[in-house]
Amino acid sequence: MRSDSSVEIFPDPATLFRVAAEKIAAIAHAAVATRGRFFIALAGGNTPRELYLLLARDEWRHQVPWANTHIFFGDERCVPPDHPDSNYGMAKKALLDRLALPASQVHRMSSEQEPLAAAAAYEQEIRRVLESAGNELPLFDLILLGLGNDGHTASLFPGTAALHEKEKLVAANYAEKFKSHRLTLTLPVLNNAHHVMFLISGESKANIVHEILQAPQRSFQYPAELVQPEPGKLWWLLDRAAAMKLNPAAV
Ligand code: 6PG
């Protein structure tokens, strides 16, 4: 791992998500103190749902300066927002409905649109809100990410075109395994963030976690290994089950 990366292992999912919430609150307050706003991109999938439910609870809801926060999404399935597979829909039920933020502060990918148009529209939305014009890369304060068993993150799947995107901020990425497009932030955006936080829980991730964090030299890199924020901070937050194949002495 690079010097500004850290791996932290927690005894159980509840502790993992509590510490993640504490870190999110600290990053949010620092961003608001410095720049007046906090820009976060939420992860999709199942893992972060417990974190979002925790952040929505009364005792946590007031720990994050949500009134100064703009919520974006790291990726989205090409389904309507009320579809059971929607990452926005999951976050809405688990967190957003409890925050009652103004619509102007929740930036959903228009996943019901044609994928290329949706990706282009989201790119414009990011540039407009984060005030990054021209070639300037937008600077998220925090991007939450999950990890798939094939080493994908967001919707950057192994062998897909979006992995090589150097210009666009958002890609409409065709994923053969799903026979469909996904919308995803691209590596230039992920690698420009102040903080990138992987949240990984469960025994099913133990193999890929070992592969990425401690495996011997390989001729290829998994998509998640390409997330190397410069000069941002990279956090790998794992529960013990996800870390069970790691050599603790080498973490
Ligand atoms: C998605 C996510 C994806 C997810 C990983 C892990 O849209 O599914 O962005 O990258 O984070 O697949 O998913 P789980 O948390 O469900 O294991």
Side-chain angles (χ1 to χ4, degrees):
M1 300 298 295
R2 290 163 57 248
S3 56
D4 46 359
S5 304
S6 66
V7 178
E8 297 185 35
I9 300 169
F10 303 98
D12 49 57
T15 309
L16 162 66
F17 296 127
R18 177 176 55 74
V19 174
E22 288 167 356
K23 289 181 187 298
I24 292 167
I27 292 167
H29 282 291
V32 171
T34 315
R35 289 178 295 280
R37 292 191 292 179
F38 172 48
F39 297 122
I40 182 173
L42 300 183
N46 300 312
T47 301
R49 183 170 177 278
E50 288 307 312
L51 169 62
Y52 302 159
L53 289 168
L54 179 64
L55 289 170
R57 282 170 29 187
D58 284 348
E59 69 267 28
W60 273 99
R61 200 148 30 100
H62 305 300
Q63 309 240 0
V64 177
W66 294 114
N68 302 83
T69 296
H70 282 263
I71 294 179
F72 289 81
F73 292 82
D75 74 320
E76 188 56 276
R77 293 82 182 274
C78 291
V79 295
D82 57 356
H83 188 282
D85 289 350
S86 168
N87 287 334
Y88 165 80
M90 181 275 280
K92 182 178 187 298
K93 290 191 194 83
L95 175 60
L96 303 180
D97 285 348
R98 293 292 309 274
L99 297 180
L101 286 182
S104 61
Q105 290 178 231
V106 178
H107 308 278
R108 178 180 72 83
M109 293 183 175
S110 47
S111 50
E112 65 282 14
Q113 270 187 356
E114 186 277 324
L116 280 172
Y122 205 62
E123 174 152 343
Q124 291 315 310
E125 179 76 347
I126 291 173
R127 287 196 178 284
R128 178 183 68 82
V129 177
L130 275 71
E131 297 168 358
S132 64
N135 294 330
E136 189 189 4
L137 283 172
L139 206 163
F140 279 92
D141 296 294
L142 174 60
I143 298 177
L144 301 180
L145 291 174
L147 177 68
N149 288 330
D150 59 357
H152 82 262
T153 191
S155 283
L156 299 169
F157 296 95
T160 58
L163 283 174
H164 309 291
E165 181 57 57
K166 300 280 188 275
E167 305 297 325
K168 294 192 181 83
L169 307 183
V170 185
N173 196 27
Y174 186 76
E176 184 61 36
K177 68 190 288 189
F178 299 112
K179 297 278 187 275
S180 75
H181 283 85
R182 289 277 192 93
L183 300 172
T184 186
L185 297 186
T186 57
L187 287 166
V189 181
L190 302 184
N191 287 336
N192 196 53
H194 274 305
H195 296 266
V196 177
M197 186 183 286
F198 279 98
L199 296 165
I200 308 171
S201 172
E203 187 176 343
S204 69
K205 303 294 173 71
N207 285 330
I208 190 64
V209 163
H210 175 260
E211 267 288 288
I212 288 177
L213 295 184
Q214 289 184 349
Q217 287 307 315
R218 274 178 270 106
S219 60
F220 67 93
Q221 286 190 295
Y222 291 102
E225 292 181 280
L226 301 175
V227 178
Q228 295 282 354
E230 285 287 351
K233 167 84 177 174
L234 179 60
W235 304 87
W236 287 78
L237 304 186
L238 317 167
D239 64 12
R240 189 171 290 150
M244 67 188 291
K245 297 211 168 154
L246 292 181
N247 168 1
V251 171

